[in-house]
Amino acid sequence: MEGASFGAGRAGAALDPVSFARRPQTLLRVASWVFSIAVFGPIINEGYVNADSGPELRCVFNGNAGACRFGIVLGLGAFIACAAFLLLDVRFQQISSVRDRRRAVLLDLGFSGIWSFLWFVGFCFLTNQWQRTAPGTGTRQAGDAARAAIAFSFFSILSWVALTVKALQRFRLGTDMSLFATDQLGAGAAQAYPGYPVGSGVEGTETYQSPPFTETLDTSPKGYQVPAY
């Protein structure tokens, strides 16, 4: 983007809702937000089933309560983060400080990278525990929910990696300082420019110089006499 600062336009410019909604970064955040719901939602609703040996509830992923908790925490964290970063994207163009913009992009880059790794770990963990789960009545009832959580964990890896790449591209764009020149001009507009130094108004004779290419004319040149008529 020409004249952009970390992927955004001039500070204080109006936000176009249509163009903002069509941005790849916005679409990725919305997709990641939906994927997170599709992970923790099924686990909360159907992830705990009755054990075959008693009425107590057990996690559908091989009875490992840690797998269910990890999926729920991971999904809820992604859900909250997507909403927060989406709000930050809306307000990003109103940030006039270059340092604050850089911090926001670095925060997005770091969080997206960490959450991409956590989604990868979560996908591998849930898949491993599901493969070890013994077949049973509860497993068959909650099988679709478990498979949905695993599938959308994989989709979340892709979306968060894409968000990491987009944040890295924004960081590499850097800052065009001309965007903030108007702020500096506005701040200094009220200050008067210093004028030329004013003297006492009396010019000394020492500062006067005779015009160039002038010679003193002798009205009576030597050796010349005026003829008498």
Side-chain angles (χ1 to χ4, degrees):
M1 182 185 297
E2 183 179 357
S5 174
F6 292 105
R10 186 181 299 274
L15 178 66
D16 185 8
V18 177
S19 61
F20 177 78
R22 293 179 178 177
R23 290 173 54 188
Q25 185 173 349
T26 303
L27 298 177
L28 287 171
R29 293 208 192 280
V30 174
S32 300
W33 186 73
V34 174
F35 294 162
S36 65
I37 299 176
V39 172
F40 73 83
I43 297 178
I44 292 177
N45 292 330
E46 303 179 18
Y48 294 91
V49 296
N50 293 326
D52 297 336
S53 58
E56 68 274 5
L57 296 178
R58 58 189 294 270
C59 180
V60 69
F61 293 99
N62 196 29
N64 188 347
C68 289
R69 286 195 296 265
F70 186 80
I72 293 173
V73 171
L74 192 59
L76 284 175
F79 176 83
I80 297 173
C82 286
F85 280 112
L86 191 61
L87 180 61
L88 179 61
D89 291 340
V90 173
R91 302 291 300 173
F92 188 80
Q93 197 157 311
Q94 305 302 322
I95 301 176
S96 59
S97 173
V98 181
R99 182 176 299 177
D100 292 341
R101 285 194 176 192
R102 185 174 183 272
R103 289 175 178 174
V105 174
L106 285 176
L107 178 63
D108 185 13
L109 177 61
F111 188 89
S112 299
I114 293 174
W115 230 250
S116 300
F117 174 74
L118 290 178
W119 275 121
F120 176 76
V121 174
F123 169 75
C124 296
F125 185 31
L126 294 179
T127 302
N128 178 264
Q129 293 301 307
W130 178 247
Q131 290 176 348
R132 296 183 178 183
T133 302
T137 304
T139 303
R140 288 191 297 268
Q141 292 176 353
D144 293 338
R147 285 186 288 267
I150 293 173
F152 284 100
S153 295
F154 176 76
F155 296 151
S156 296
I157 297 173
L158 302 179
S159 63
W160 281 92
V161 168
L163 285 172
T164 304
V165 173
K166 294 298 295 183
L168 181 60
Q169 290 176 350
R170 293 172 66 191
F171 180 75
R172 287 182 174 178
L173 284 176
T175 303
D176 183 3
M177 294 304 297
S178 63
L179 295 176
F180 303 91
T182 55
D183 298 337
Q184 299 296 331
L185 292 177
Q191 299 178 359
Y193 288 95
Y196 291 100
V198 180
S200 61
V202 179
E203 296 183 356
T205 57
E206 293 81 6
T207 60
Y208 176 80
Q209 295 181 356
S210 61
F213 306 107
T214 58
E215 297 179 357
T216 303
L217 298 179
D218 189 358
T219 56
S220 299
K222 296 179 181 181
Y224 178 78
Q225 295 180 358
V226 179
Y229 295 98

